[in-house]
Amino acid sequence: MTINDIVKETIQTLNSKKIPLTPHHYQRTFCQIAASNGFSIEECRAKEKFIGKLNETMQQDISKYNVNTLDELLTYLVSSLNRLTLGNSGKQKLVTITLIKYLLEMIARFPDQKSRELAKASMERIEHLCDLNTFEIITQKWETLLASKGSDYTARLQMLAKSKSTDFHQLLDQIEKMLDESEAEESLSEMASIVVASLTPSLTQTLDDEISTLSYMLNTTPELLHKKEIRQQLKALIHKRIEIDKTEVKDRILSIDEILSEVSTKIIHLIDNTDVSYEKVKEIKKELINVDKETKDFETIKQKLLKIADSLEFETKQLGTIMKKEDHVIAQMQTKIKKLEQALKRAKQESKTDFLTGLVSKRGLDEELNRVDKSYRRYQIEYSIGFFDIDHFKNINDTYGHEAGDLILKQLGKIFLEQKRDVDIVGRYGGEEFLAILPNTPLHGAQVFAEKIREHVEHFKFVYKGEAVPVTISVGVANCTEFDNQKILIEEADKRLYTAKTGGRNRVEPPLKVTV
C-alpha cells in the first residue's frame, strides 16, 4: 500500500460513514489507517512531539486526560490558560509560548496569503497583550478564516493540472510540465514558419515540387523538424533556393543588358533630327559619371548608359516626326500586350479555379491529390477524401431551370469555403459533384466534416425567385490508409457515394457512429 492508497481509503471511509470531509476528520482517519498499515507519518506524531516539548508537570497532567489529537491538545492548553490565576504567571507564560509554537507549526503548512497575514497579526497582538480576551479574539478570526471557502485551492490546482492528486508538489510539477510542452509546441510552430520562409526564393515566385511539398509538410506537421532526414533535406533545399535566386539575378541582369543594347541601337538608327539640346545631354552624362560603383554587374550597366549618352551627344539631331510614328506603334503594342496579359491571367485563374463556384477546378484537384498522396507515401502523413453529390439535381434543373441550378452550385461553393479548414482543399470535380481533400485527417474526422456539410446543406434555405428549393447531398468518404494506391482510394470513395445514393440519399457513407 502507498500513501496515495491511504488517501483514497481515508476519503472512502469518511464518505461511507457520512462524516464531513474536514481537516480534523481527515487527519484523524488518515493517521488511524496509516498506523494500522504500519506507516509512520511525521504529521501523525505531531501531538507526541508537542507534548514532549512541555515540562514534566504538564506532561503528567495531560496523561490524565484522553488527549488523542492536536485539536484536543489545543483545547487542553486553552482550558489551562483559562484556569490560570494571577499568581501562577510562570505557568501562564509557558502555556502561551507552547500555544504560539503550535499555531506557527500549523500556519507553516498553509501557502495562503490570508493565513500568513492573520498569523503575523496574531503574533503582534500576543506580543503586545497576552490575556484571555486576546486569545478569544484570535481564535474567532482563525475560525472565520477556516470556515471560508476561499482557502480551498486544491480543487483549482487539480483542474489546472488535469489530475486528481492531492499532493501540492505533484500538482505543481504536472502544471509546469504542461506549460513546458505548450511553450515547446508553440516555439516549434514558429520555427516551422521561419524555416518555410527560408525555403522561398526572394526574387521569383516559382518553386519546384520538392520544395513546395516540404513547405506544406512543415506547416501542417512542425514535429517533422525533429527528424534527422528532414534536417538534411532542409540544408539541401536551402542551398537549392540560393542557387535559384542566383540564377534569377543573372537572368534579370542579362535581360536589362539586352534592353539597353536594343535601346542604344534603336536611338542611333532613329536619330535624324532632335529637339534635345547638347547641354542637356551633357548634364545627363555628368550625372551618370557621378553614380557610385556598387557591384561589378551594375558597373556594366553604368558603362552601357554612358555609351547611350555618348550616342546622344554626338549623333542626336531631330526625332520629332519619326518618334511620333514610333509612339503610335508602341501605343498599339502596349494595348495588345495588356489584352494578352489579361487573357493570360484569366486563363491561369480558370485553369485552377472553377468560375462558377470559386472552388478549385478539376485540374487543381488532381495536383493537390498528387501532392498529399506524395506526402503520405514518403512521410506517412495520412489524408482523407470525400465525394459530395447533390441529390436529384436533374429534377431541380428540370423544375426550376438551369439558372436555379447554377445558383445552388454557387451557394454550395460558399458553404464549403465557410466550413472547411485553411489546409483543406475543396473543388468542383464535375457537374454537381464536389471533392474534398482533408490533409492530416483520419476517416473519423472526414466523417465528421462530411456530416457537418450534409446537415448545413439540409437546413440551408435555397431560394430562387421567391420560392424555396429543397436541396440535400450524399457523401462517400475514404482514408488513404485503407487502400494500396490513390486510384483505388478514389474508386472506393466513389463507390461509397453510390451506396449513399442507393441507400436513401441525404446521408454519409460510411455513416458516422455517435457514441452516447
Side-chain angles (χ1 to χ4, degrees), residues 108-109 147-148 167 189 199 204 226 248 250 261:
R109 303 174 188 173
S148 66
D167 182 73
S189 299
L199 294 177
T204 178
H226 291 305
E248 183 69 16
K250 291 180 181 178
S261 298

Side-chain angles (χ1 to χ4, degrees), residues 327-339:
D327 287 341
H328 178 69
V329 174
I330 291 173
Q332 290 180 336
M333 292 177 64
Q334 288 177 339
T335 302
K336 291 181 180 179
I337 290 172
K338 287 182 179 179
K339 290 182 179 180

